[in-house]
Amino acid sequence: MSTENQTLFLESEVGDEAVGKRLDQALAFLFPQYSRSRLKKWIEEEVVAVNGEIKRPRDKVNLADKITITTTAEKNNYEWIAEKKPLDICYEDDHLLVINKSANWVTHPGAGNWTGTVMNALLYHAPQLAEIPRAGVVHRLDKDTTGLMVVAKSLIAHAHLVKQLQARTVKRTYETIVGGRVISGGTVDAPIGRHPQERVRMAVLESGKTAISHYRVLERFEAYSHLRVDLETGRTHQIRVHMAHIRYPVVGDKVYGGRLRLPPHSTEAFREALKNFPRQALHAKALTLVHPISGEEMSFEVPIPEDMEGLLNILRKGMSATKN
């Protein structure tokens, strides 16, 4: 294994959500793909500059301040093991990899899941990802959420994709099945943060980070709805938290879903399908981004998986559906 590290250059501009914050707090907003401890370490190492000047952690940042981080990209394979696991690859070149993630598959190694994750499989498929922060994963999907994920295969692609995500120019479209008859589409603009009592959960909080989801009705059933959701931001559990917040929880969501709604006159097949659906009915269906090298806009789309399609078919048979 090579011991040489590559130069890592990160750059961002302070926007409205970080204005007036301490430098260490602002970095958490601007570079969410890195842990707070890593960002703090970089400040202490004086590799973080604000408008070209080295600042202290407690120094405040202003609107349009240019923040740069110039350091070395530390290897990931000292803590993550490459494992041979099949990847459903939708696209690949020297800089990008787009995969269709299956259900029951954790993205990042962590407590209780140090092996068998998407990252372990990525490191086997493309060993050079050990040179990229978080093995090139710039946005994650929850364990039981299926669909499209983009992976950066080079440092330049990583920096470019992170910048696109920060600028909210990456378009991510999901499909979900929720409890309740949604009358019309709308937008949920509600900040999300870590739940103050239950740290494994997220919640809508005034002190949270900006979170915006746009939803549209694809099909309506008597007590359920099939929705399309477009993300403007990408907070942890965003769709699940937002839909529960407006009282249309995602079907199968054991964390935010609440009590299962079973209309008394529904068929037995309908009841069993809802009771036994094994995961949150959420799928990352479409993704649009700009290629970091060519500048070309690229779009990808994958159909919803069989389990969600099967649930929709049972819903259609169990009670009448109205297409939007």
Side-chain angles (χ1 to χ4, degrees):
M1 180 180 70
S2 171
T3 58
E4 294 181 2
N5 285 327
Q6 298 183 43
T7 298
L8 176 64
F9 178 76
L10 303 172
E11 182 181 55
S12 189
E13 188 173 285
V14 175
D16 291 337
E17 64 182 9
V19 169
K21 292 186 177 296
R22 292 166 47 114
L23 176 59
D24 52 0
Q25 295 171 334
L27 291 184
F29 278 92
L30 299 173
F31 305 101
Q33 71 274 28
Y34 297 101
S35 66
R36 287 178 180 267
S37 60
R38 173 65 60 80
L39 295 169
K40 181 181 178 181
K41 179 183 176 184
W42 283 340
I43 295 175
E44 292 171 347
E45 292 175 347
E46 298 188 347
V47 298
V48 179
V50 180
N51 299 324
E53 296 182 9
I54 301 300
K55 298 289 185 179
R56 298 166 299 180
R58 65 176 181 269
D59 289 335
K60 302 292 180 66
V61 299
N62 301 307
L63 185 66
D65 276 351
K66 183 178 179 181
I67 296 182
T68 57
I69 301 174
T70 307
T71 184
T72 54
E74 298 179 13
K75 292 180 179 295
N76 291 320
N77 52 1
Y78 68 94
E79 55 184 4
W80 297 332
I81 302 168
E83 292 181 284
K84 187 176 182 179
K85 292 178 68 69
L87 291 167
D88 184 357
I89 297 173
C90 303
Y91 174 84
E92 184 173 17
D93 63 22
D94 290 340
H95 296 277
L96 292 182
L97 176 64
V98 179
I99 66 170
N100 181 15
K101 189 184 87 69
S102 59
N104 193 33
W105 202 5
V106 175
T107 300
H108 297 134
N113 294 287
W114 292 111
T115 61
T117 71
V118 174
M119 281 191 177
N120 297 119
L122 288 170
L123 287 168
Y124 183 89
H125 174 76
Q128 70 271 27
L129 290 176
E131 308 287 349
I132 313 297
R134 291 184 179 271
V137 174
V138 292
H139 71 102
R140 64 184 289 274
L141 294 180
D142 295 333
K143 175 183 176 182
D144 284 326
T145 297
T146 57
L148 291 167
M149 286 179 54
V150 62
V151 178
K153 292 180 64 181
S154 66
L155 287 170
I156 189 171
H158 183 272
H160 200 284
L161 289 172
V162 168
K163 188 173 291 188
Q164 288 184 58
L165 287 164
Q166 291 171 345
R168 302 181 188 176
T169 57
V170 176
K171 299 176 184 176
R172 288 169 288 174
T173 298
Y174 290 70
E175 285 194 18
T176 185
I177 304 167
V178 301
R181 185 175 171 85
V182 182
I183 302 305
S184 63
T187 295
V188 184
D189 185 349
I192 291 176
R194 187 72 59 182
H195 194 287
Q197 282 81 44
E198 302 175 58
R199 303 302 292 172
V200 296
R201 291 166 55 101
M202 307 301 288
V204 170
L205 301 170
E206 287 187 10
S207 60
K209 296 180 181 180
T210 301
I212 303 172
S213 306
H214 308 282
Y215 62 94
R216 181 165 67 87
V217 180
L218 299 178
E219 292 177 277
R220 298 183 188 89
F221 306 93
E222 181 176 340
Y224 293 86
S225 300
H226 177 200
L227 305 181
R228 163 181 167 165
V229 183
D230 293 295
L231 290 184
E232 189 169 323
T233 57
R235 306 307 176 199
T236 301
H237 300 174
Q238 179 170 318
I239 293 174
R240 298 163 61 192
V241 172
H242 272 174
M243 298 317 299
H245 179 66
I246 62 173
R247 302 183 187 279
Y248 296 116
V250 174
V251 166
D253 191 336
K254 296 176 176 60
V255 177
Y256 307 103
R259 190 173 171 181
L260 188 63
R261 306 175 189 184
L262 292 171
H265 56 280
S266 57
T267 66
E268 185 63 25
F270 178 94
R271 289 168 172 264
E272 288 302 310
L274 266 296
K275 285 181 180 179
N276 297 325
F277 197 75
R279 65 181 184 93
Q280 65 259 13
L282 183 60
H283 176 65
K285 185 172 185 178
L287 176 71
T288 297
L289 52 86
V290 173
H291 193 282
I293 305 303
S294 71
E296 175 190 0
E297 184 175 86
M298 307 180 74
S299 295
F300 308 92
E301 185 169 326
V302 289
I304 61 174
E306 290 183 3
D307 59 353
M308 282 182 64
E309 187 61 48
L311 180 57
L312 283 171
N313 287 333
I314 289 173
L315 289 172
R316 292 168 186 139
K317 293 174 183 176
M319 37 185 66
S320 59
T322 301
K323 291 192 175 182
N324 189 40

